[in-house]
Each structure stands twice: as C-alpha cells, then as structure tokens.
Amino acid sequence: MATGDLCTVERRGRVHLITLPGAGEHRLNPALISAIRSAVAAACASPGAGALVMAAEGKFFCNGYDLAWARGDPSGRIAAVRAARRGLVADLLALPMPTVAAVTGHAAAAGCGLALAHDTVVMRASRGFLYMGEVDAGIKIIDYFGELLRQKVPDAATRRDLVMKGEKMTAAEAVRRGIVDLAVDGGVDDVVAAAVTIAEGLAARGWDGEIVAEIRKAAWPELWSKVKDYGCDAPSRPRL
Amino acid sequence: MCTLEQRGRVFVLTLTGDGEHRLGHPLIASLRSAVASVAAAAASAGPGTALVTVAEGRFFSNGLDIGWAGTSRPRLQELVDALRPLAADLLALPMPTVAAVTGHASAGGFLLALCHDYRVMRADRGVLYMSEIDIGLPLPPYFVAMFRAKITAANALRDVLLRGRKLRAAEAKEMGIVDAVCPGPAETAAEAIKLAEQLAARKWDGGVYASIRMSIFPEACKSVGIVEESDEEKRKHFASRL
C-alpha cells in the first residue's frame, strides 16, 4: 500500500499509519500532497482500519509549502496547487475515522495547518515547534487557512500570539494553551507510539465511520464549507 | 486632546490632560488624524514600526461623550457612527498596536483598548468596564463584534457584557483580556513601549501584518467596514514576493 517514497503507509492493529519519511523538511508541493491524499484515501480501503495517524521521520513534521518549487513559475504554480491544498484538508475532514497528528518535529506554516486539520494532536516534548512563520516571511493567510486557525485555535490571545506574533510554541506551551492534546517525551518513535495508542483507543470505540465524518463536518462547519468542493469522494466503507 | 511622538521605531499616541478623555467629535477627529499620520509615517519608515496608545490622568477613556449627547438619541448615534471609522483605522493599521491602559477604560474606552493588538494595564487603580447594561444602553453591532472577537471565553464575555463586571488588571489578565500587568501608570507606559519595541524589532511588513490581523479577526474587521482582500489578490502578492 506504499505510495512511493514520498510517504509510506503501514497498519498497526486497527491504525492506518502514514509516515512522511526521511530527514528532509517534507515541504508540501503537488507531488507530496497527492501522495498524502492517496495514503489518506487508502485508509478507507483498508479492511478493519479504524483510525488514522499522520507522522514523520527526522527533525521536521512538515516545514510548510515548497517555496523553491513555487518559484519555478510563481503565478502558475500557486494557482495550480490551490485545489490540492483545500482538497487535503477536505479529505481529512471527511475521513470516516478519527485522525491523530503525531507532530514528531517542527510543524511550520502549512505544516502547522496540516497538524491542526487532525482531530487530535500529539507532539514531541523535547524538540520541535509549532510555528506560523507567515508573518515573518511576509506571506498573507488565505481564507480557508484563516478559517482553520479560527476553528482550531479559538482563544483570541493564543491565536494572536501564534499567528500575528509568530511565536514558536513548544509542545508544553501548546498543551498549556489548548492547541495540542499531549506532549510526549522521548524521540520520534515514542511520539508515534503514543499517537498509535491513542488512535487504537479511538478505533476500539467501534464508531460508525460515516457518523464520525458527519459529526466532524458539523463541528467545523465554516471550515468544511470552504474546502468541501475540493475533496475526493469518500468511498463508502464496509462495516465490519 | 492628543499628541503624537515618535521614539525610534515606536509611535506614541497620548490622550492628554486629566479629564475623562470622552470620545466626542473633537477627540475622535484628533485621534483619527493622529492615526492617519502614523499610517503615513509607517509607509515611509519601512518595515518594523509599532504604535502605543497611552493616556494621562485617571482615565484611559470613559467612553463616548454621552454628556454631549444628552437625551438625544440621534446625537448618541452620531457618536457611535463617528467612533466606528477610528476602530477601523486601528484594525487596519499596518503595524502592531499596544494599548497602555493607564486608567479606567469604560464602554467606548474599553472598545478603544480592545481595538489594539495587545493591552498592558496598571494594577493599582482603574477598571475595564462595559457600563451599557447598567445604564440601559444597547450595544452597537460593531462593539459586539469586537468583544466577541477578542474575548473568546464564554464566561468572560458574559461577565463583561451581561453582568457589567468591573475588571481590575489582574482579573483581566486571568481572563485573557490584558496581556501584562504593571504596578502603576509610569511602569505601564514603559512596559507598553518596551513591548512595542520588541514587536517593531521583528521588522514585519506592515501590509502583511494588517492582512494577517484581518484573517485572525475577520468578523470584527468586517463590522467596522474593512473589506478584506480576496484570495486572488493575496496569491498575486505571494507570487510577486517569491
């Protein structure tokens, strides 16, 4: 079920674990977004899969969009990736199973958004930041991304500090401020293990996946409305 | 009524005198003029500026000049309408903004403090207070939008708007309404300027900063009449910067 070397997929019990491999920054460009979306879609086709974990190897969870790639043809490439960006968020929102982000390293800009697009976020305590670097880099925030931040970081002062101040938040700080659910000591493998444990627990609830998806979309309606036209059609998942 | 000075990269706007700094036509006009000067100066100063708004005396601002309005509903509405563009000017300002709440901030004065990105407040005296419920005045829609945007904890919003709770600095900090508490007015002003200097030192592009502020508080910005850029315009800006 691997989708090439851009991201790998494995099953651990009932958990569909997606990993962005290698020591690189896992910057999002069309190829990686497409690979991730395929891996996410594969969760639905994986018999008995009851929860999804998104993780990464190395120092970075995801360091944002691939600006070097975009520079190749700025206007064209930015427009071309527009649908894929929204589509990835839509696919995660519409996924008929609980989702857990294992933030194993730095999550910056769009990478921070990717983590927040999951239901639960666990993060490595000893290294790595959440960092909305847009303000420092001089990049504006487009509407669906602003919506994601407002829905997932509802506290005004926290959202201001994260996005308007570009504060680099450690796991402990992010937990304290309600952005991250759990800070995990140890290395990448420990963070992944903790995420998988949580995901296994969620899968064990035996929830109807279609209901999970409907309730999630209803819980974040403004965000869903901004991305829903870009998602893949979720395949119907056989109840086991 | 107000003075403006520049200290390095920080613009300091002072509501002068020992009075209540009631927001009537003259003070609102002075403030708008000062804020416009700041925006113009920022354009030539380049990235890395910030604004501090501070007041002399016992009051930051005690709100709209309801004394001038008297029993005249049209006059009161005039003041409500006049304050809205000042709120818009502050929310659109292309630099970080800090309110040094050096005295009571009531009703429109509390709104003025909330129009800033950060708030530093003195601990020894002065309260934040939304008096409307006690005096029997409805809240203009843009007031509500600002309070809902900046005070996101439901109980805090309820206490402030629906119970007319008078907040000292320490409580306001606990409720997430104020960012830092200082012993007295001099320390409050100094801390606000220090924070502003730290923010200015980040050298943010002012236009981008203001745009991001609008993404973070879109309903408040819309309520005061700011029109957000389209995604298309943002993408063009991004492409041009690559």
Side-chain angles (χ1 to χ4, degrees):
Chain A
M1 253 199 290
T3 46
D5 34 45
L6 290 176
C7 77
T8 62
V9 165
E10 61 181 283
R11 271 284 290 272
R12 293 193 189 178
R14 297 194 59 183
V15 177
H16 183 86
L17 170 61
I18 299 173
T19 305
L20 308 180
E25 296 188 14
H26 314 128
R27 284 208 176 243
L28 296 168
N29 55 35
L32 181 54
I33 295 174
S34 178
I36 295 173
R37 291 184 75 185
S38 292
V40 169
C44 304
S46 178
L52 178 143
V53 170
M54 179 94 58
E57 291 176 352
K59 256 181 57 174
F60 297 91
F61 174 75
C62 170
N63 214 25
Y65 284 111
D66 190 347
L67 300 177
W69 166 83
R71 264 178 213 116
D73 167 23
S75 313
R77 289 187 172 183
I78 291 161
V81 83
R82 185 180 169 272
R85 298 169 64 167
R86 284 165 174 72
L88 175 53
V89 173
D91 292 348
L92 286 167
L93 284 181
L95 199 68
M97 66 181 70
T99 61
V100 182
V103 181
T104 43
H106 297 296
C112 181
L114 177 60
L116 292 177
H118 292 71
D119 302 330
T120 302
V121 182
V122 309
M123 187 170 168
R124 187 173 178 191
S126 56
R127 310 177 68 159
F129 303 117
L130 293 181
Y131 172 44
M132 287 295 296
E134 281 83 347
V135 67
D136 291 329
I139 296 171
K140 298 178 181 180
I141 304 221
I142 52 177
D143 72 341
Y144 87 90
F145 199 2
E147 199 60 64
L148 173 74
L149 293 163
R150 286 193 300 278
Q151 300 240 262
K152 294 290 190 142
V153 189
D155 179 74
T158 300
R159 195 181 336 124
R160 174 203 63 196
D161 289 347
L162 182 66
V163 192
M164 285 165 63
K165 204 178 184 191
E167 229 180 71
K168 291 178 178 173
M169 286 194 192
T170 60
E173 183 66 8
V175 167
R176 189 182 73 80
R177 302 190 83 166
I179 305 174
V180 160
D181 297 292
L182 181 68
V184 182
D185 291 321
V188 165
D189 291 344
D190 299 298
V191 180
V192 175
V196 167
T197 299
I198 289 172
E200 192 65 59
L202 293 169
R205 300 292 293 271
W207 291 321
D208 179 326
E210 306 299 332
I211 300 298
V212 170
E214 288 314 304
I215 291 177
R216 186 195 291 115
K217 288 184 278 186
W220 318 119
E222 294 92 346
L223 175 59
W224 174 243
S225 75
K226 292 202 153 81
V227 298
K228 64 179 163 64
D229 294 336
Y230 301 89
C232 65
D233 288 324
S236 60
R237 179 173 162 264
R239 289 198 68 181
L240 296 174
Chain B
M1 311 213 76
C2 72
T3 60
L4 182 63
E5 58 175 308
Q6 189 171 353
R7 301 191 200 179
R9 307 295 296 181
V10 175
F11 296 93
V12 181
L13 172 57
T14 306
L15 288 85
T16 52
D18 281 333
E20 295 188 11
H21 311 131
R22 285 269 179 186
L23 295 158
H25 288 300
L27 179 55
I28 293 174
S30 295
L31 289 171
R32 287 203 71 195
S33 171
V35 172
S37 309
V38 171
S44 48
T49 52
L51 170 74
V52 172
T53 302
V54 68
E56 293 173 348
R58 286 193 304 132
F59 293 86
F60 180 75
S61 167
N62 218 22
L64 294 176
D65 192 351
I66 51 179
W68 173 83
T71 51
S72 161
R73 282 298 171 100
R75 275 197 168 192
L76 185 59
Q77 190 58 46
E78 253 188 61
L79 294 180
V80 167
D81 292 342
L83 183 59
R84 187 171 175 261
L86 174 59
D89 295 343
L90 287 166
L91 286 179
L93 200 65
M95 66 181 68
T97 57
V98 184
V101 186
T102 43
H104 298 295
S106 235
F110 191 167
L111 178 88
L112 184 63
L114 278 189
C115 286
H116 292 69
D117 299 329
Y118 301 86
R119 278 152 294 287
V120 181
M121 187 170 172
R122 70 189 285 187
D124 58 332
R125 15 177 5 168
V127 291
L128 298 173
Y129 171 45
M130 284 307 276
S131 52
E132 284 82 349
I133 188 150
D134 288 332
I135 45 184
L137 281 177
L139 290 171
Y142 73 90
F143 274 49
V144 177
M146 190 76 61
F147 277 77
R148 292 186 73 222
K150 300 272 183 132
I151 302 176
T152 45
N155 287 352
L157 187 69
R158 187 252 345 255
D159 283 359
V160 165
L161 294 186
L162 214 39
R163 287 198 184 166
R165 189 168 158 195
K166 293 177 179 175
L167 300 177
R168 300 283 296 269
E171 305 167 289
K173 177 152 195 270
E174 253 176 69
M175 291 162 85
I177 297 170
V178 150
D179 302 293
V181 175
C182 295
E187 296 91 339
T188 300
E191 188 63 28
I193 289 171
K194 186 170 142 214
L195 173 58
E197 282 166 353
Q198 287 167 350
L199 296 166
R202 299 286 290 272
K203 292 226 161 297
W204 293 317
D205 175 310
V208 170
Y209 184 83
S211 170
I212 290 178
R213 185 195 284 123
M214 284 174 218
S215 302
I216 295 309
F217 300 117
E219 291 89 11
C221 291
K222 209 178 308 175
S223 79
V224 295
I226 297 173
V227 177
E228 203 183 346
E229 251 184 325
S230 67
D231 273 7
E232 188 52 47
E233 287 163 325
K234 290 179 186 177
R235 270 192 293 276
K236 282 200 191 125
H237 174 266
F238 180 40
S240 72
R241 296 275 318 248
L242 275 180

